[in-house]
Amino acid sequence: MIQVKGLTKYYGEHAAIHDLNFEIQRGEVIGFLGLNGAGKTTTLKILGCVLLPTAGEVTVDGIDIARDPHAVRRRIGLLPDTPPLYNEMTVGRYLRFAAELRGVAANDATTAVTEAEEKTALRDKHDELISSLSHGYRQRVGVAQALVHKPKLLILDEPTSGLDPVQIVEMRSMIRALRGEHTILLSSHILSEISQTCDRLLVIQKGEIVAQGSEQDLATQLGGGGTIEVEIAGAAQRAIDVVKTVTGIGTCRVLRDSDGVALVSMEGSPDLRPKVARALVQNGIDLLRIDRGAARLESIFLKLTSKEGPQ
Amino acid sequence: MNATFLIARRELGAYFRSMTGYVIAAAVLIIDGLLFNAFALGGPDKLSAEVLSLFFYFSSGTTIIASVFISMRLLAEERQTGTLVLLTSSPVQDWEIVFGKFLSAFTFLAIMTLATVYMPAMIFVNGKISFGHMAAGYLGLLLLGSATIALGTFGSAIARTQVLAAIFSGCIVVALIVCWLLSKVTERPLSDVFVALALHGKHFPPFQSGTVHLRDVVYYLMVTYVALFAATRVMESRRWK
């Protein structure tokens, strides 16, 4: 769906992004993760045909954005970091304007607006002025304008920015519901949002992609063999002594030890789980649970972004 | 072209849905009325044609000032509020955005200008003036407004804020008006250049007195074209920045 090769953008002497390379398949939900100023918005604006790159090649659906930006724009719906809303318009009129601007025929615009309002739960706000809407609803109108012309690719720049927890959950489920119908590229620095919504992550740091893959892939890449968590009845130290005898198990940490139940995390490939379980049971330890260690996105992210970033 | 009309229609609606549009229109109509009453109708007895000429003379001043204020918001406000990206990410050419914006401001100015028609109508009823004089005067006002709004659109394209846009376009308009004064104090061929550039002193008076010269029409259309062309180039260059 999207192919990015050697994408570079300079603002004066400063390289906002440098030599980005990645691909996105049709139907994927991709999380674009990075700290503020990492180059996320610049990349998304280039993909949305708002900015032109200094160098590199971007194709959407096989169409080069530099050669035929109009054809690409018809296939894209962009929600920028600040939703582009006209306060003096009603939701319905605004969405109709956005639809017709993106080439939806006047006869089909009413249906397109109704569908977009239904997908974003805005039906009852159709006749309300945008200026009277809460931040959460304004954000929804922003998403609705991005998808009103049924684009193949949805680009959402920080869609949950400034929302309260309830609104974040609603936005997240809305984005999940759009999965399948659109390829979605979503940027955020809110890690849980990326983790819960996306199939794959692109981590950008100082204008370069420093890692890409699923959350588990990244955890494996960065944490060597990954981690295993075991929950046992009894003292943690006894379990640690036993699992250390298993070849391939590294440092162990006690995550919790209370009320006769201990939770221990150990470095080691998740493939070693059968051996660990066998060792514990053979040594008479009551095993309550054994699982792949929860690879916390925060720790992956911190590891990636604390590396010396490429200049 | 369809996108141009869509943008123009939305923008025109914004003038009528916001206070700014009504405040500018009200201010222009009040000032036009006061000037007409005080200077065109007041003073010693005049011929009807002279009264009409003075009306167009004063209206040209308010048209220039109003055009600067009407056009300052066109692109600068969209940039300030972040709505410009809706247009620039849509399958719309930059010239369509610029022309749509210009068209809305020009339509608003035209409606406002035509609302002053009751003043010449009073002269028509009570005196003796020709339709041709009225039509030429209004054509001049609309052409002058078109050129000034186009310059304002250019100012709005280069400025980050509406206030800066008004200052930029105000400076350009004043510079073009001052060309007439500069032509008086310079030698040929420089004075000829200044005369040709003068926004008001050279090109408007014929309309004011009921005469339409093709060269004046061409001048205002050329200023409009060049300013809109420059605004479009500014929009395109921003995609690189």
Side-chain angles (χ1 to χ4, degrees), chain A residues 64-121:
Chain A
D64 191 326
I65 62 162
R67 286 182 195 279
D68 194 354
H70 269 39
V72 174
R73 284 178 194 140
R74 280 192 202 95
R75 288 165 167 78
I76 285 179
L78 172 67
L79 169 67
D81 46 0
T82 309
L85 307 178
Y86 295 112
N87 285 327
E88 76 281 359
M89 296 178 96
T90 62
V91 172
R93 276 177 185 273
Y94 169 74
L95 292 178
R96 192 181 174 89
F97 171 68
E100 291 185 21
L101 202 61
R102 269 77 171 266
V104 176
N107 293 340
D108 303 329
T110 308
T111 315
V113 169
T114 306
E115 284 177 12
E117 285 175 343
E118 276 167 2
K119 282 178 189 167
T120 50

Side-chain angles (χ1 to χ4, degrees), chain A residues 21-72:
Chain A
N21 295 284
F22 60 88
E23 279 186 29
I24 297 175
Q25 304 303 322
R26 192 177 302 278
E28 274 190 309
V29 181
I30 300 292
F32 208 47
L33 187 63
L35 297 173
N36 289 335
K40 302 189 296 289
T41 296
T42 299
T43 310
L44 296 188
K45 279 189 172 171
I46 292 172
L47 293 177
C49 297
V50 174
L51 283 178
L52 288 162
T54 311
E57 190 184 295
V58 180
T59 57
V60 176
D61 240 5
I63 304 164
D64 191 326
I65 62 162
R67 286 182 195 279
D68 194 354
H70 269 39
V72 174

Side-chain angles (χ1 to χ4, degrees), chain A residues 226-269:
Chain A
T227 59
I228 299 172
E229 276 179 15
V230 293
E231 194 174 42
I232 51 142
Q237 192 53 49
R238 208 173 139 230
I240 291 172
D241 293 340
V242 170
V243 296
K244 278 197 167 174
T245 62
V246 177
T247 312
I249 294 295
T251 313
C252 298
R253 279 190 310 135
V254 180
L255 301 177
R256 194 178 67 234
D257 192 355
S258 60
D259 302 329
V261 175
L263 181 64
V264 178
S265 167
M266 60 205 74
E267 284 182 7
S269 165

Side-chain angles (χ1 to χ4, degrees), chain A residues 9 49 52 86 88 102, chain B residues 6 10 78 83 90 239-240:
Chain A
K9 178 72 183 176
C49 297
L52 288 162
Y86 295 112
E88 76 281 359
R102 269 77 171 266
Chain B
L6 267 175
R10 193 215 67 77
E78 294 245 18
T83 50
S90 296
R239 291 187 187 270
W240 290 102

